[in-house]
Amino acid sequence: FKFVHLVPDAPDVNILMDNQQIFSNVKYMDYTEYEELDPKEYKMDIEVAKNNTIALTNKVNLNPNKIYTFYAIGKIPNVDIIQTLDGATFLI
């Protein structure tokens, strides 16, 4: 999966899956490289990078042989995480 930060009024963020930091200091309009994780349900935390405060928590499912992108969208305090299945999934 990868992560895209599209919340214009939000600071840089860290992405944690089951309390393990996967990505750090993701800035507005930035996206990460892909990271491979085991397929299962995870607790995804979006953490403010400068003070490690949890800003948003979601439960997400990663299924086997699927490639996902998670988008943080909206404006504070109405931020959502959208999970999409990447087109490359169908080329596997």
Side-chain angles (χ1 to χ4, degrees):
F1 81 98
K2 71 178 179 178
F3 179 82
V4 181
H5 184 336
L6 297 176
V7 182
D9 55 343
D12 298 358
V13 297
N14 302 324
I15 308 305
L16 292 80
M17 299 294 261
D18 288 348
N19 300 315
Q20 177 186 353
Q21 185 171 301
I22 306 297
F23 304 117
S24 62
N25 295 309
V26 183
K27 300 175 183 345
Y28 170 61
M29 295 292 289
D30 277 355
Y31 57 89
T32 66
E33 297 293 325
Y34 285 98
E35 181 68 29
E36 188 173 338
L37 293 177
D38 291 333
K40 69 174 198 169
E41 181 178 89
Y42 289 90
K43 180 180 79 139
M44 174 190 268
D45 290 320
I46 310 298
E47 177 182 78
V48 176
K50 70 178 179 179
N51 63 13
N52 300 98
T53 302
I54 302 297
L56 184 64
T57 297
N58 266 14
K59 292 230 185 251
V60 298
N61 283 303
L62 300 181
N63 293 310
N65 303 314
K66 304 294 182 201
I67 303 170
Y68 297 98
T69 299
F70 292 94
Y71 296 88
I73 63 167
K75 293 193 81 166
I76 295 175
N78 299 314
V79 176
D80 285 318
I81 301 298
I82 304 295
Q83 178 178 353
T84 65
L85 192 60
D86 286 10
T89 292
F90 304 104
L91 301 175
I92 297 176

